[in-house]
Amino acid sequence: MIPLEEVKLYLRVEGDEENALISSFIEIARNICEDILRYPLSELEEVPVLVKQAMLYCIANMYEKREGTHHYMKNESGGILETINMMKLMLNSLRKESW
């Protein structure tokens, strides 16, 4: 949905050493967006800017806390749950009622 190079530019990453990590964060953010929206992003002809911003927000949060990702995933305060809640607020207007 968002090219690796665009994400690296957003994160201000110049080298290629973390490409695999960043790519995995892109996939995780995409999956979280699809879960929130209740439809696959592949259904869209064009990805709305709001979805891209939510993905970038999620990726940036995971990247920033990458050293303690296992702890970050479980941490309710400042962790992935807080990120998901913010993404829900961002994407609520695009969300389907059910799958």
Side-chain angles (χ1 to χ4, degrees):
M1 296 282 106
I2 304 177
L4 176 62
E5 291 305 317
E6 185 178 335
V7 174
K8 286 174 63 175
L9 182 65
Y10 182 81
L11 297 174
R12 298 181 182 176
V13 173
E14 294 182 8
D16 295 333
E17 300 83 23
E18 295 183 322
N19 282 0
L21 177 67
I22 295 169
S23 293
S24 70
F25 289 162
I26 293 170
E27 185 63 25
I28 291 167
R30 182 177 151 264
N31 289 335
I32 292 171
C33 281
E34 289 179 340
D35 286 346
I36 292 169
L37 294 171
R38 297 182 177 155
Y39 55 87
L41 295 177
S42 60
E43 286 184 4
L44 303 172
E45 289 182 31
E46 186 177 329
V47 179
V49 172
L50 194 55
V51 173
K52 286 184 180 181
Q53 283 305 120
M55 287 183 65
L56 289 170
Y57 173 80
C58 181
I59 294 163
N61 276 283
M62 287 188 288
Y63 186 76
E64 180 181 322
K65 296 169 177 71
R66 68 192 174 280
E67 296 300 323
T69 302
H70 65 282
H71 177 70
Y72 170 72
M73 294 295 200
K74 297 176 185 176
N75 185 359
E76 292 183 27
S77 177
I80 195 71
L81 295 178
E82 183 178 292
T83 301
I84 290 171
N85 286 336
M86 179 58 73
M87 292 172 70
K88 284 179 180 178
L89 290 172
M90 294 171 75
L91 299 172
N92 191 46
S93 64
L94 302 173
R95 188 176 193 187
K96 285 188 178 180
E97 290 294 319
S98 64
W99 279 95

XYZ file of all heavy atoms in Angstrom:
808
model
N 0.815 -1.193 0.000
C 0.000 0.000 0.000
C 0.865 1.265 0.000
O 0.565 2.202 -0.679
C -0.922 0.028 1.218
C -1.937 -1.079 1.258
S -3.320 -0.787 0.167
C -2.997 -1.921 -1.136
N 1.892 1.240 0.809
C 2.833 2.362 0.847
C 4.214 1.790 0.516
O 4.674 0.864 1.186
C 2.872 3.044 2.227
C 1.483 3.515 2.649
C 3.842 4.215 2.201
C 1.441 4.124 4.037
N 4.848 2.321 -0.511
C 6.168 1.799 -0.889
C 7.202 1.980 0.217
O 7.172 2.962 0.972
C 6.551 2.632 -2.117
C 5.301 3.297 -2.573
C 4.391 3.386 -1.387
N 8.115 1.041 0.302
C 9.177 1.065 1.299
C 9.941 2.385 1.261
O 10.216 2.976 2.308
C 10.134 -0.116 1.080
C 11.357 -0.178 1.985
C 10.957 -0.316 3.451
C 12.260 -1.326 1.552
N 10.268 2.864 0.073
C 11.045 4.103 -0.039
C 10.291 5.303 0.532
O 10.894 6.186 1.128
C 11.447 4.357 -1.494
C 12.470 3.365 -2.012
C 13.723 3.275 -1.154
O 14.249 4.322 -0.721
O 14.174 2.148 -0.887
N 8.981 5.334 0.357
C 8.168 6.421 0.922
C 8.181 6.376 2.447
O 8.290 7.407 3.118
C 6.734 6.332 0.393
C 5.840 7.465 0.825
C 4.432 7.384 0.249
O 4.237 6.764 -0.821
O 3.520 7.952 0.877
N 8.094 5.170 2.995
C 8.124 5.009 4.452
C 9.491 5.393 4.996
O 9.590 6.090 6.004
C 7.746 3.568 4.855
C 7.933 3.363 6.354
C 6.310 3.257 4.451
N 10.553 4.973 4.309
C 11.908 5.322 4.760
C 12.119 6.832 4.739
O 12.745 7.383 5.641
C 12.947 4.612 3.891
C 13.036 3.129 4.197
C 13.943 2.394 3.248
C 15.370 2.854 3.326
N 16.276 2.050 2.479
N 11.583 7.500 3.746
C 11.669 8.953 3.683
C 10.926 9.572 4.869
O 11.428 10.487 5.521
C 11.103 9.462 2.355
C 11.161 10.953 2.113
C 12.604 11.441 2.027
C 10.426 11.298 0.817
N 9.748 9.064 5.167
C 8.947 9.549 6.295
C 9.686 9.346 7.612
O 9.666 10.209 8.488
C 7.597 8.814 6.308
C 6.652 9.261 7.393
C 5.882 10.403 7.241
C 6.521 8.528 8.571
C 5.006 10.811 8.239
C 5.650 8.931 9.567
C 4.893 10.077 9.398
O 4.035 10.471 10.387
N 10.350 8.190 7.747
C 11.078 7.868 8.970
C 12.469 8.502 9.010
O 13.148 8.431 10.029
C 11.230 6.348 9.117
C 9.966 5.524 9.258
C 10.298 4.037 9.249
C 9.204 5.898 10.526
N 12.881 9.066 7.885
C 14.224 9.650 7.734
C 15.314 8.600 7.906
O 16.293 8.781 8.616
C 14.423 10.811 8.693
C 13.460 11.934 8.415
C 13.658 13.087 9.323
N 12.642 14.101 8.993
C 12.486 15.196 9.645
N 13.247 15.472 10.667
N 11.555 16.063 9.291
N 15.096 7.456 7.242
C 16.063 6.361 7.232
C 16.743 6.359 5.877
O 16.065 6.306 4.851
C 15.362 5.004 7.487
C 16.330 3.842 7.316
C 14.721 4.984 8.861
N 18.067 6.415 5.870
C 18.795 6.489 4.612
C 19.353 5.158 4.141
O 19.381 4.884 2.956
C 19.918 7.523 4.723
C 19.381 8.931 4.896
C 20.478 9.975 4.960
O 21.653 9.630 4.723
O 20.147 11.128 5.264
N 19.822 4.331 5.037
C 20.444 3.064 4.649
C 19.432 1.976 4.361
O 18.221 2.163 4.488
N 19.959 0.824 3.958
C 19.107 -0.323 3.635
C 19.131 -1.402 4.714
O 18.507 -2.440 4.565
C 19.554 -0.943 2.304
C 19.356 0.000 1.132
O 18.453 0.868 1.212
O 20.100 -0.125 0.141
N 19.874 -1.156 5.790
C 20.055 -2.177 6.821
C 18.753 -2.607 7.475
O 18.628 -3.744 7.928
C 21.015 -1.669 7.923
C 22.389 -1.309 7.444
C 22.472 0.101 6.861
O 21.625 0.961 7.188
O 23.376 0.319 6.046
N 17.794 -1.712 7.563
C 16.545 -2.025 8.271
C 15.359 -2.228 7.326
O 14.212 -2.185 7.762
C 16.244 -0.920 9.281
C 17.299 -0.847 10.379
C 16.988 0.180 11.436
O 16.477 1.259 11.104
O 17.265 -0.112 12.606
N 15.630 -2.479 6.062
C 14.549 -2.657 5.088
C 13.589 -3.777 5.476
O 12.372 -3.621 5.366
C 15.106 -2.919 3.697
C 15.599 -1.669 3.013
O 15.535 -0.561 3.569
N 16.107 -1.811 1.807
N 14.132 -4.909 5.918
C 13.268 -6.038 6.294
C 12.378 -5.675 7.482
O 11.183 -5.980 7.486
C 14.111 -7.269 6.600
N 12.961 -5.013 8.462
C 12.196 -4.596 9.641
C 11.093 -3.617 9.254
O 9.932 -3.789 9.635
C 13.120 -3.963 10.671
C 12.447 -3.411 11.929
C 11.855 -4.544 12.758
C 13.437 -2.607 12.745
N 11.442 -2.613 8.479
C 10.459 -1.604 8.059
C 9.375 -2.244 7.203
O 8.192 -1.938 7.352
C 11.151 -0.431 7.348
C 12.071 0.303 8.334
C 10.119 0.534 6.749
C 13.001 1.316 7.694
N 9.756 -3.163 6.329
C 8.766 -3.867 5.499
C 7.787 -4.653 6.364
O 6.587 -4.693 6.078
C 9.464 -4.807 4.515
O 10.194 -4.068 3.570
N 8.305 -5.272 7.429
C 7.402 -6.009 8.321
C 6.461 -5.049 9.047
O 5.283 -5.360 9.250
C 8.186 -6.857 9.322
O 8.843 -6.061 10.284
N 6.952 -3.860 9.410
C 6.091 -2.862 10.041
C 5.011 -2.382 9.080
O 3.878 -2.115 9.486
C 6.910 -1.684 10.556
C 7.762 -1.983 11.760
C 8.811 -1.144 12.094
C 7.533 -3.084 12.564
C 9.603 -1.393 13.205
C 8.321 -3.357 13.683
C 9.359 -2.509 13.999
N 5.347 -2.255 7.803
C 4.356 -1.857 6.792
C 3.244 -2.909 6.731
O 2.058 -2.574 6.717
C 5.010 -1.675 5.408
C 5.964 -0.476 5.420
C 3.942 -1.517 4.315
C 6.844 -0.364 4.182
N 3.627 -4.175 6.731
C 2.639 -5.264 6.671
C 1.768 -5.294 7.927
O 0.551 -5.460 7.850
C 3.352 -6.600 6.483
C 2.420 -7.766 6.297
C 1.564 -7.688 5.044
O 1.959 -7.012 4.074
O 0.476 -8.302 5.036
N 2.377 -5.105 9.088
C 1.613 -5.074 10.339
C 0.628 -3.910 10.331
O -0.553 -4.080 10.679
C 2.564 -4.978 11.553
C 3.351 -6.263 11.720
C 1.785 -4.647 12.834
C 4.519 -6.155 12.691
N 1.077 -2.736 9.916
C 0.196 -1.561 9.858
C -0.957 -1.794 8.889
O -2.104 -1.413 9.170
C 0.995 -0.325 9.455
N -0.668 -2.421 7.761
C -1.718 -2.735 6.784
C -2.759 -3.682 7.407
O -3.969 -3.465 7.280
C -1.094 -3.370 5.545
C -2.092 -3.671 4.465
C -1.375 -4.245 3.238
N -2.277 -5.121 2.549
C -2.314 -6.437 2.703
N -1.481 -7.049 3.503
N -3.180 -7.153 2.048
N -2.281 -4.709 8.094
C -3.199 -5.661 8.732
C -4.053 -4.985 9.801
O -5.252 -5.265 9.909
C -2.423 -6.829 9.341
C -1.851 -7.752 8.297
O -2.350 -7.841 7.187
N -0.776 -8.430 8.646
N -3.457 -4.112 10.581
C -4.214 -3.398 11.614
C -5.269 -2.514 10.965
O -6.427 -2.493 11.411
C -3.270 -2.573 12.520
C -2.389 -3.497 13.357
C -4.072 -1.636 13.427
C -1.280 -2.785 14.115
N -4.906 -1.804 9.903
C -5.881 -0.960 9.196
C -7.032 -1.791 8.660
O -8.199 -1.401 8.780
C -5.209 -0.200 8.055
S -4.287 1.253 8.582
N -6.720 -2.936 8.064
C -7.780 -3.795 7.526
C -8.693 -4.303 8.630
O -9.917 -4.370 8.446
C -7.167 -4.963 6.753
C -6.549 -4.536 5.448
C -5.901 -5.649 4.667
O -5.575 -6.712 5.246
O -5.713 -5.462 3.465
N -8.126 -4.636 9.772
C -8.946 -5.085 10.902
C -9.865 -3.967 11.388
O -11.033 -4.202 11.692
C -8.073 -5.565 12.058
C -7.426 -6.911 11.787
O -7.846 -7.601 10.833
O -6.494 -7.268 12.528
N -9.332 -2.768 11.462
C -10.131 -1.627 11.913
C -11.215 -1.302 10.887
O -12.378 -1.085 11.240
C -9.243 -0.394 12.164
C -8.335 -0.628 13.376
C -10.100 0.867 12.367
C -7.241 0.409 13.552
N -10.840 -1.263 9.612
C -11.778 -0.885 8.553
C -12.795 -1.978 8.238
O -13.860 -1.702 7.710
C -11.007 -0.529 7.279
C -10.128 0.705 7.364
C -9.258 0.820 6.115
C -10.968 1.951 7.547
N -12.419 -3.217 8.534
C -13.256 -4.391 8.264
C -13.392 -4.689 6.774
O -14.421 -5.190 6.322
C -14.636 -4.236 8.904
C -14.589 -4.155 10.404
C -15.959 -4.040 10.992
N -15.882 -4.041 12.450
C -16.792 -3.500 13.219
N -17.842 -2.919 12.704
N -16.651 -3.538 14.515
N -12.352 -4.401 6.032
C -12.269 -4.821 4.629
C -10.815 -4.747 4.177
O -10.036 -3.954 4.710
C -13.166 -3.988 3.708
C -12.963 -2.493 3.759
C -12.009 -1.853 2.970
C -13.749 -1.699 4.593
C -11.848 -0.478 3.002
C -13.603 -0.330 4.631
C -12.644 0.272 3.836
O -12.489 1.640 3.878
N -10.460 -5.601 3.212
C -9.080 -5.579 2.723
C -8.812 -4.315 1.906
O -9.663 -3.873 1.128
C -8.968 -6.842 1.865
C -10.349 -7.252 1.561
C -11.250 -6.664 2.606
N -7.652 -3.760 2.081
C -7.296 -2.550 1.342
C -7.167 -2.823 -0.153
O -7.253 -1.900 -0.952
C -5.997 -1.961 1.894
C -6.090 -1.452 3.328
C -4.735 -0.960 3.811
C -7.126 -0.345 3.451
N -7.016 -4.082 -0.527
C -6.941 -4.436 -1.943
C -8.260 -4.160 -2.673
O -8.283 -4.079 -3.897
C -6.547 -5.903 -2.111
O -7.504 -6.741 -1.484
N -9.343 -3.981 -1.925
C -10.645 -3.640 -2.529
C -10.676 -2.204 -3.047
O -11.542 -1.853 -3.846
C -11.778 -3.804 -1.513
C -12.147 -5.226 -1.198
C -13.334 -5.310 -0.251
O -13.916 -4.259 0.110
O -13.686 -6.437 0.120
N -9.763 -1.373 -2.580
C -9.773 0.043 -2.934
C -9.001 0.293 -4.229
O -7.934 -0.263 -4.433
C -9.151 0.871 -1.814
C -9.780 0.745 -0.432
C -8.935 1.459 0.599
C -11.195 1.308 -0.462
N -9.568 1.134 -5.083
C -8.850 1.538 -6.290
C -7.692 2.446 -5.918
O -6.609 2.349 -6.475
C -9.795 2.246 -7.264
C -10.796 1.320 -7.913
C -11.682 2.052 -8.897
O -11.225 3.034 -9.511
O -12.832 1.621 -9.046
N -7.949 3.353 -4.980
C -6.928 4.269 -4.487
C -7.030 4.326 -2.970
O -8.124 4.447 -2.425
C -7.138 5.668 -5.074
C -6.045 6.633 -4.727
C -6.247 7.986 -5.394
O -6.818 8.037 -6.492
O -5.836 8.985 -4.786
N -5.903 4.220 -2.322
C -5.881 4.247 -0.857
C -6.063 5.691 -0.398
O -5.303 6.576 -0.796
C -4.558 3.672 -0.310
C -4.540 3.731 1.202
C -4.363 2.246 -0.794
N -7.083 5.960 0.430
C -7.302 7.318 0.923
C -6.110 7.832 1.738
O -5.416 7.058 2.403
C -8.542 7.184 1.817
C -9.201 5.918 1.398
C -8.112 5.033 0.909
N -5.901 9.119 1.693
C -4.813 9.751 2.431
C -4.923 9.425 3.917
O -3.910 9.190 4.587
C -4.818 11.280 2.197
C -3.819 11.979 3.097
C -4.552 11.592 0.745
N -6.127 9.375 4.429
C -6.344 9.073 5.844
C -5.794 7.695 6.219
O -5.199 7.522 7.287
C -7.841 9.154 6.160
C -8.263 9.203 7.605
C -7.583 10.350 8.343
C -9.769 9.352 7.693
N -5.966 6.722 5.342
C -5.450 5.376 5.594
C -3.919 5.393 5.560
O -3.267 4.798 6.420
C -6.013 4.353 4.577
C -5.341 2.998 4.737
C -7.525 4.223 4.727
N -3.358 6.097 4.600
C -1.902 6.201 4.528
C -1.345 6.863 5.787
O -0.342 6.415 6.343
C -1.468 6.996 3.292
C -1.621 6.230 2.007
C -1.093 7.043 0.839
C -1.256 6.280 -0.459
N -0.730 7.040 -1.602
N -2.001 7.909 6.251
C -1.542 8.603 7.460
C -1.635 7.691 8.676
O -0.748 7.696 9.529
C -2.339 9.885 7.684
C -1.929 11.019 6.805
C -0.448 11.334 6.894
O 0.265 11.269 5.918
N 0.038 11.681 8.063
N -2.700 6.909 8.770
C -2.844 5.975 9.893
C -1.739 4.917 9.845
O -1.161 4.569 10.877
C -4.222 5.312 9.861
N -1.438 4.431 8.643
C -0.365 3.453 8.506
C 0.980 4.056 8.882
O 1.764 3.440 9.610
C -0.319 2.900 7.077
C -1.451 1.951 6.762
S -1.329 1.248 5.099
C 0.173 0.276 5.247
N 1.260 5.258 8.412
C 2.525 5.913 8.732
C 2.650 6.177 10.231
O 3.721 6.021 10.816
C 2.682 7.204 7.935
C 2.938 7.026 6.438
C 2.838 8.369 5.717
C 4.285 6.371 6.177
N 1.546 6.553 10.855
C 1.524 6.763 12.301
C 1.905 5.473 13.031
O 2.739 5.462 13.937
C 0.131 7.247 12.727
C -0.056 7.334 14.212
C 0.443 8.425 14.930
C -0.719 6.336 14.915
C 0.279 8.508 16.305
C -0.894 6.415 16.287
C -0.390 7.500 16.970
O -0.552 7.574 18.330
N 1.299 4.382 12.617
C 1.554 3.082 13.228
C 3.005 2.647 12.996
O 3.691 2.226 13.933
C 0.584 2.058 12.646
S 0.756 0.402 13.340
N 3.464 2.752 11.774
C 4.833 2.359 11.429
C 5.839 3.177 12.227
O 6.804 2.632 12.774
C 5.072 2.501 9.913
C 4.201 1.513 9.145
C 6.548 2.318 9.567
C 4.055 1.835 7.658
N 5.625 4.482 12.286
C 6.548 5.357 13.014
C 6.603 4.990 14.500
O 7.680 4.986 15.106
C 6.146 6.818 12.847
N 5.453 4.666 15.087
C 5.424 4.274 16.489
C 6.163 2.961 16.718
O 6.923 2.827 17.670
C 3.984 4.170 17.000
C 3.444 5.490 17.435
O 3.768 5.967 18.502
N 2.641 6.110 16.590
N 5.957 1.999 15.835
C 6.665 0.722 15.974
C 8.165 0.916 15.757
O 8.982 0.333 16.468
C 6.102 -0.316 15.005
C 4.739 -0.833 15.401
S 4.177 -2.213 14.385
C 3.820 -1.382 12.840
N 8.523 1.737 14.782
C 9.938 1.965 14.487
C 10.627 2.673 15.654
O 11.733 2.311 16.038
C 10.093 2.772 13.200
C 11.526 2.920 12.769
C 12.208 1.871 12.175
C 12.208 4.112 12.969
C 13.536 1.992 11.802
C 13.534 4.249 12.597
C 14.188 3.184 12.006
O 15.510 3.315 11.646
N 9.958 3.648 16.214
C 10.527 4.402 17.333
C 10.796 3.502 18.534
O 11.763 3.690 19.269
C 9.574 5.525 17.730
C 10.056 6.377 18.874
C 9.063 7.465 19.236
O 8.435 8.035 18.335
O 8.930 7.732 20.447
N 9.946 2.513 18.721
C 10.052 1.637 19.886
C 10.578 0.257 19.500
O 10.342 -0.724 20.199
C 8.697 1.535 20.567
C 8.225 2.872 21.127
C 6.784 2.814 21.548
C 6.315 4.105 22.161
N 6.173 5.214 21.246
N 11.322 0.182 18.394
C 11.767 -1.102 17.845
C 12.701 -1.878 18.755
O 12.750 -3.090 18.695
C 12.407 -0.914 16.483
C 13.721 -0.162 16.496
C 14.123 0.218 15.078
N 15.307 1.060 15.043
C 15.324 2.373 15.268
N 14.193 2.996 15.572
N 16.439 3.070 15.192
N 13.442 -1.216 19.607
C 14.387 -1.911 20.485
C 13.660 -2.810 21.480
O 14.173 -3.842 21.867
C 15.265 -0.902 21.235
C 16.146 -0.079 20.337
C 17.122 -0.912 19.514
O 17.641 -1.921 20.036
O 17.347 -0.557 18.347
N 12.479 -2.416 21.901
C 11.717 -3.215 22.866
C 10.386 -3.627 22.304
O 9.377 -3.555 22.975
N 10.361 -4.073 21.037
C 9.101 -4.368 20.360
C 8.265 -5.382 21.121
O 7.059 -5.226 21.247
C 9.354 -4.868 18.925
O 10.082 -3.863 18.225
C 8.056 -5.140 18.203
N 8.883 -6.442 21.664
C 8.090 -7.442 22.386
C 7.410 -6.804 23.603
O 6.265 -7.104 23.899
C 8.955 -8.626 22.796
C 10.017 -8.288 23.783
N 11.188 -7.657 23.419
C 10.072 -8.458 25.123
C 11.926 -7.465 24.495
N 11.280 -7.931 25.545
N 8.097 -5.897 24.276
C 7.497 -5.193 25.412
C 6.462 -4.180 24.915
O 5.401 -4.026 25.498
C 8.590 -4.486 26.227
C 8.050 -3.687 27.369
N 7.487 -4.274 28.479
C 7.961 -2.346 27.560
C 7.087 -3.334 29.311
N 7.360 -2.160 28.783
N 6.776 -3.515 23.829
C 5.884 -2.515 23.235
C 4.547 -3.131 22.858
O 3.501 -2.552 23.069
C 6.569 -1.904 22.004
C 5.694 -1.038 21.154
C 5.291 0.225 21.585
C 5.274 -1.461 19.902
C 4.504 1.030 20.797
C 4.493 -0.651 19.105
C 4.114 0.582 19.557
O 3.330 1.373 18.762
N 4.579 -4.324 22.307
C 3.354 -4.980 21.872
C 2.419 -5.254 23.055
O 1.219 -5.237 22.906
C 3.667 -6.306 21.169
C 4.398 -6.140 19.878
S 3.386 -5.283 18.674
C 4.199 -5.747 17.187
N 2.973 -5.493 24.234
C 2.164 -5.841 25.400
C 1.803 -4.633 26.250
O 0.911 -4.696 27.066
C 2.926 -6.841 26.269
C 3.194 -8.152 25.567
C 4.035 -9.048 26.433
C 4.401 -10.320 25.684
N 5.293 -11.164 26.456
N 2.514 -3.543 26.060
C 2.362 -2.375 26.914
C 1.085 -1.603 26.562
O 0.936 -1.125 25.450
C 3.591 -1.484 26.752
C 3.576 -0.300 27.691
O 2.648 -0.123 28.457
N 4.604 0.495 27.608
N 0.190 -1.478 27.511
C -1.053 -0.757 27.268
C -0.857 0.752 27.282
O -1.567 1.481 26.628
C -2.101 -1.155 28.303
C -2.568 -2.581 28.152
C -3.647 -2.925 29.125
O -4.377 -2.021 29.561
O -3.769 -4.108 29.460
N 0.081 1.235 28.043
C 0.325 2.665 28.159
C 1.484 3.046 27.245
O 2.621 2.726 27.525
C 0.647 3.033 29.605
O 0.954 4.405 29.675
N 1.166 3.713 26.139
C 2.206 4.113 25.210
C 2.587 3.011 24.250
O 3.523 3.150 23.481
N 1.892 1.907 24.254
C 2.219 0.779 23.399
C 1.279 0.645 22.232
O 0.630 1.596 21.804
N 1.205 -0.555 21.712
C 0.436 -0.815 20.497
C -1.056 -0.554 20.710
O -1.738 -0.105 19.788
C 0.703 -2.242 19.951
C 0.199 -2.391 18.515
C 0.104 -3.302 20.846
C 0.991 -1.655 17.499
N -1.565 -0.805 21.900
C -2.992 -0.565 22.138
C -3.329 0.918 22.011
O -4.369 1.276 21.452
C -3.424 -1.105 23.495
C -3.333 -2.628 23.655
C -3.748 -3.047 25.059
C -4.176 -3.335 22.609
N -2.443 1.761 22.508
C -2.643 3.205 22.363
C -2.586 3.601 20.883
O -3.377 4.414 20.414
C -1.588 3.959 23.155
C -1.769 5.466 23.104
C -0.718 6.168 23.942
O -0.771 6.029 25.170
O 0.131 6.843 23.352
N -1.656 3.007 20.163
C -1.520 3.277 18.722
C -2.772 2.834 17.980
O -3.305 3.568 17.146
C -0.276 2.555 18.153
O 0.880 3.022 18.844
C -0.121 2.805 16.670
N -3.263 1.643 18.285
C -4.468 1.130 17.630
C -5.672 2.010 17.952
O -6.491 2.301 17.074
C -4.722 -0.341 18.016
C -3.647 -1.226 17.373
C -6.118 -0.794 17.600
C -3.662 -2.659 17.847
N -5.799 2.444 19.184
C -6.917 3.325 19.543
C -6.877 4.627 18.758
O -7.914 5.122 18.301
C -6.929 3.592 21.046
C -7.403 2.405 21.841
O -8.122 1.549 21.334
N -6.983 2.326 23.088
N -5.685 5.192 18.572
C -5.568 6.403 17.769
C -5.919 6.116 16.311
O -6.606 6.909 15.660
C -4.153 6.975 17.868
C -3.967 8.234 17.033
S -5.114 9.579 17.449
C -4.444 10.111 18.987
N -5.478 4.973 15.809
C -5.806 4.605 14.429
C -7.316 4.428 14.258
O -7.876 4.810 13.233
C -5.066 3.328 14.026
C -3.558 3.523 13.926
S -2.683 1.970 13.688
C -3.176 1.570 12.003
N -7.975 3.857 15.259
C -9.432 3.696 15.205
C -10.113 5.053 15.097
O -11.063 5.215 14.327
C -9.949 2.952 16.430
C -9.690 1.472 16.407
C -10.208 0.807 17.676
C -9.954 -0.676 17.663
N -10.408 -1.330 18.899
N -9.632 6.009 15.870
C -10.191 7.361 15.791
C -9.973 7.963 14.402
O -10.859 8.608 13.854
C -9.568 8.259 16.858
C -9.944 7.965 18.300
C -9.098 8.801 19.257
C -11.435 8.234 18.529
N -8.793 7.743 13.844
C -8.468 8.292 12.530
C -9.313 7.653 11.425
O -9.732 8.334 10.491
C -6.982 8.063 12.213
C -6.030 8.835 13.115
S -4.298 8.345 12.886
C -3.958 9.147 11.315
N -9.574 6.358 11.544
C -10.209 5.602 10.452
C -11.703 5.364 10.643
O -12.348 4.769 9.781
C -9.503 4.252 10.292
C -8.025 4.320 9.927
C -7.397 2.931 9.982
C -7.838 4.954 8.556
N -12.256 5.833 11.743
C -13.653 5.544 12.060
C -14.616 5.914 10.937
O -15.577 5.190 10.661
C -14.055 6.238 13.357
C -15.387 5.776 13.862
O -15.648 4.568 13.898
N -16.241 6.706 14.235
N -14.394 7.003 10.259
C -15.317 7.449 9.211
C -15.289 6.544 7.983
O -16.235 6.557 7.179
C -14.992 8.885 8.791
O -13.711 8.949 8.199
N -14.262 5.721 7.836
C -14.128 4.829 6.682
C -14.504 3.395 7.019
O -14.510 2.516 6.158
C -12.696 4.856 6.152
C -12.149 6.219 5.715
C -10.668 6.107 5.386
C -12.921 6.750 4.538
N -14.834 3.135 8.269
C -15.073 1.783 8.761
C -16.433 1.253 8.319
O -17.437 1.958 8.385
C -14.990 1.787 10.276
C -15.022 0.432 10.903
C -14.836 0.541 12.394
N -14.569 -0.783 12.918
C -14.494 -1.058 14.195
N -14.654 -0.114 15.083
N -14.243 -2.267 14.590
N -16.446 -0.010 7.884
C -17.708 -0.689 7.553
C -18.357 -1.185 8.846
O -17.682 -1.425 9.844
C -17.465 -1.880 6.629
C -17.168 -1.500 5.204
C -17.132 -2.739 4.342
C -16.886 -2.360 2.902
N -16.837 -3.539 2.043
N -19.655 -1.357 8.804
C -20.392 -1.849 9.975
C -19.961 -3.252 10.381
O -19.889 -3.567 11.557
C -21.903 -1.845 9.705
C -22.501 -0.459 9.631
C -22.437 0.254 10.966
O -22.686 -0.365 12.015
O -22.115 1.463 10.967
N -19.695 -4.090 9.390
C -19.252 -5.456 9.686
C -18.479 -5.986 8.465
O -18.476 -5.375 7.404
C -20.441 -6.369 9.992
O -21.260 -6.480 8.850
N -17.863 -7.142 8.655
C -17.094 -7.755 7.571
C -17.994 -8.166 6.471
O -18.858 -8.691 6.285
C -16.290 -8.945 8.078
C -15.036 -8.520 8.740
C -14.842 -8.329 10.065
C -13.785 -8.202 8.126
N -13.552 -7.927 10.319
C -12.878 -7.842 9.148
C -13.350 -8.198 6.805
C -11.561 -7.505 8.888
C -12.025 -7.834 6.562
C -11.164 -7.492 7.600
